[in-house]
Amino acid sequence: MSNPETAGRVCVVGAGSSGLAAAKNLLQQGFAVEVLEREADLGGNWNYDKPFARVYRSTHTISSKPGTEYPDYPMPASYPDYPHHTQILAYLRSYASHFGVTPCIRFGTPVETVEPASAEERSTGWRVTAGGSTTRYDAVVIANGHNWSPKTPPYAGTFTGETMHSAHYRTADVFVGKRVLVVGGGNSGCDIVVEAAQFGDKTWHSTRRGYYYMPKYLFGRPSDQVGDQMLALGMPLWLRRFIARVSYRVLVGSPARMGLPQPDHKLFETHPVVNTLLPYYVGQGDVTPKPDIARFEGKTVHFVDGSSCEVDLIVYATGYNIEFPFIDKAHLNWVDGRPRLHQHVFHPLYDTLFVAGLIQPDSGQFGLVHWQTKALAAFLRAAGEGRPSAQWLRDVKREPGTGYANPIRYKDSTRHFVEVEHWEYRRGLERTVQRLAASR
């Protein structure tokens, strides 16, 4: 390993779960690392007390412990199958301390601009302005996340009641004494509508399509572990889909039979919604499913099926925009609403600019970002040493596409812009790491 005093200097933007993994893997390759974090603490979305956190008081992971943790730093044995957000934050703090990342973090330092240090095609460095001062770095890893800029769809008319985005939801007391409409069928929307059903006067749930609501446990095991077992056995997609469909019908039942809209897609063709309680609350009449919104008229919400209801509070659980306001989109190969990067990490032209965590996996994220950042750190190391493997990746990442052959065709939606099937995606990253290390 090269001496950190003489190795390249790398800036990591953000001290959330992705930034911490990037810093750790860069440090292990001998780079001098500086992590710039706008908050006064690490953890990003998982730090409940910070204004840019995107967890609510009851948040637990939707992927189980083995599918969530970093592969080289297991979660404590005392943690439950689905840890609470406070446990995840404690885990991230322990990870940063264990691998020596914490001393590298500059807290309270928001990044204002990231610009190439030169006009060369493969920039030899970047100028980063943060906290009022500008510093030159040899490379930059953008890891500030993509679940922070709330997205709210436009609707005709004007709603005169209260509105909020799930980004700002924290506790269920906001529902007391109110008629509540939750818009959005993702995991946050389903969690929130269940809480609204328990505390509000009346609750409706508006979704554009029907979904399969997977329980957290199948056959006594976390459902994602059952799915991974099928993948480990090499089962083809059609067989996994057949087993999952039969299991769903036996253990959960028909969505239509429970009063839920019928899905318009096959299993696995949308980002998984893991929620055991939503069908229960729909079944006992505490949540009323509704289709998409047609228009507003005061406090009256009209739906596309011609029905309507009177609402006091709307919660938009409608996702987030992909935004990196501190860097010109031209520097991120921006195409059709998101950066087009090899393996969602590597810029096709720049050899010193990377993005970590720009994925929406069908399982846990930490382990995948571990391999993303292990790959980018290995590339920087190989490039610095002039190894042939670095030239191999330079050539490969210039090709169009993402460098990842997704085995599943997802529904055409902005929700799936950066969706990945975790098993094949991880295997691809592992192969990249192996190839980069092969010619030392």
Side-chain angles (χ1 to χ4, degrees), residues 202-254:
K202 178 66 179 175
T203 303
W204 297 270
H205 189 201
S206 170
T207 62
R208 289 181 174 177
R209 60 167 47 93
Y211 294 94
Y212 295 98
Y213 300 99
M214 300 303 296
K216 282 197 165 183
Y217 288 89
L218 288 171
F219 310 110
R221 295 179 60 194
S223 54
D224 61 344
Q225 294 180 28
V226 175
D228 275 6
Q229 184 63 45
M230 290 193 290
L231 286 162
L233 292 172
M235 292 185 183
L237 176 60
W238 69 266
L239 181 56
R240 289 188 286 118
R241 184 171 277 150
F242 172 77
I243 293 172
R245 184 170 64 249
V246 171
S247 300
Y248 189 88
R249 285 296 182 96
V250 171
L251 299 175
V252 181
S254 166

Side-chain angles (χ1 to χ4, degrees), residues 175-220:
F175 301 133
V176 175
K178 296 175 183 174
R179 298 165 295 182
V180 181
L181 171 65
V182 178
V183 181
N187 286 285
S188 294
C190 293
D191 283 349
I192 293 170
V193 79
V194 165
E195 296 196 356
Q198 298 173 67
F199 290 88
D201 281 359
K202 178 66 179 175
T203 303
W204 297 270
H205 189 201
S206 170
T207 62
R208 289 181 174 177
R209 60 167 47 93
Y211 294 94
Y212 295 98
Y213 300 99
M214 300 303 296
K216 282 197 165 183
Y217 288 89
L218 288 171
F219 310 110

Side-chain angles (χ1 to χ4, degrees), residues 119-377:
E120 295 177 11
E121 183 181 75
R122 291 175 177 169
S123 173
T124 56
W126 297 84
R127 294 191 309 273
V128 178
T129 301
S133 63
T134 301
T135 305
R136 184 189 178 284
Y137 296 93
D138 295 295
V140 171
V141 179
I142 297 173
N144 67 309
H146 58 283
N147 289 328
W148 61 271
S149 176
K151 178 175 63 178
T152 303
Y155 294 108
T158 302
F159 181 70
T160 56
E162 300 176 64
T163 62
M164 68 183 302
H165 193 276
S166 60
H168 307 116
Y169 173 71
R170 292 293 182 272
T171 58
D173 57 296
V174 298
F175 301 133
V176 175
K178 296 175 183 174
R179 298 165 295 182
V180 181
L181 171 65
V182 178
V183 181
N187 286 285
S188 294
C190 293
D191 283 349
I192 293 170
V193 79
V194 165
E195 296 196 356
Q198 298 173 67
F199 290 88
D201 281 359
K202 178 66 179 175
T203 303
W204 297 270
H205 189 201
S206 170
T207 62
R208 289 181 174 177
R209 60 167 47 93
Y211 294 94
Y212 295 98
Y213 300 99
M214 300 303 296
K216 282 197 165 183
Y217 288 89
L218 288 171
F219 310 110
R221 295 179 60 194
S223 54
D224 61 344
Q225 294 180 28
V226 175
D228 275 6
Q229 184 63 45
M230 290 193 290
L231 286 162
L233 292 172
M235 292 185 183
L237 176 60
W238 69 266
L239 181 56
R240 289 188 286 118
R241 184 171 277 150
F242 172 77
I243 293 172
R245 184 170 64 249
V246 171
S247 300
Y248 189 88
R249 285 296 182 96
V250 171
L251 299 175
V252 181
S254 166
R257 174 66 182 81
M258 292 178 286
L260 290 160
Q262 187 67 27
D264 62 351
H265 56 277
K266 298 176 182 178
L267 273 163
F268 310 140
E269 286 185 341
T270 62
H271 184 73
V273 181
V274 184
N275 195 295
T276 304
L277 295 176
L278 180 61
Y280 171 82
Y281 279 97
V282 169
Q284 65 182 24
D286 293 326
V287 173
T288 302
K290 286 290 185 181
D292 196 13
I293 295 170
R295 61 187 175 89
F296 297 132
E297 187 178 8
K299 284 191 173 184
T300 304
V301 180
H302 297 273
F303 300 95
V304 295
D305 64 352
S307 65
S308 63
C309 60
E310 296 293 311
V311 175
D312 300 309
L313 169 64
I314 295 178
V315 180
Y316 292 104
T318 45
Y320 298 89
N321 300 300
I322 298 175
E323 291 185 6
F324 303 100
F326 46 78
I327 187 169
D328 193 307
K329 288 184 177 180
H331 298 316
L332 284 174
N333 195 37
W334 205 275
V335 179
D336 296 330
R338 75 278 204 188
R340 299 287 288 183
L341 307 172
H342 178 71
Q343 293 184 314
H344 295 284
V345 177
F346 299 93
H347 193 284
L349 299 180
Y350 293 128
D351 290 348
T352 55
L353 179 67
F354 312 90
V355 180
L358 186 59
I359 50 173
Q360 182 83 353
D362 58 1
S363 185
Q365 176 139 335
F366 297 179
L368 296 180
V369 176
H370 163 84
W371 287 105
Q372 284 186 333
T373 55
K374 198 171 180 68
L376 70 86

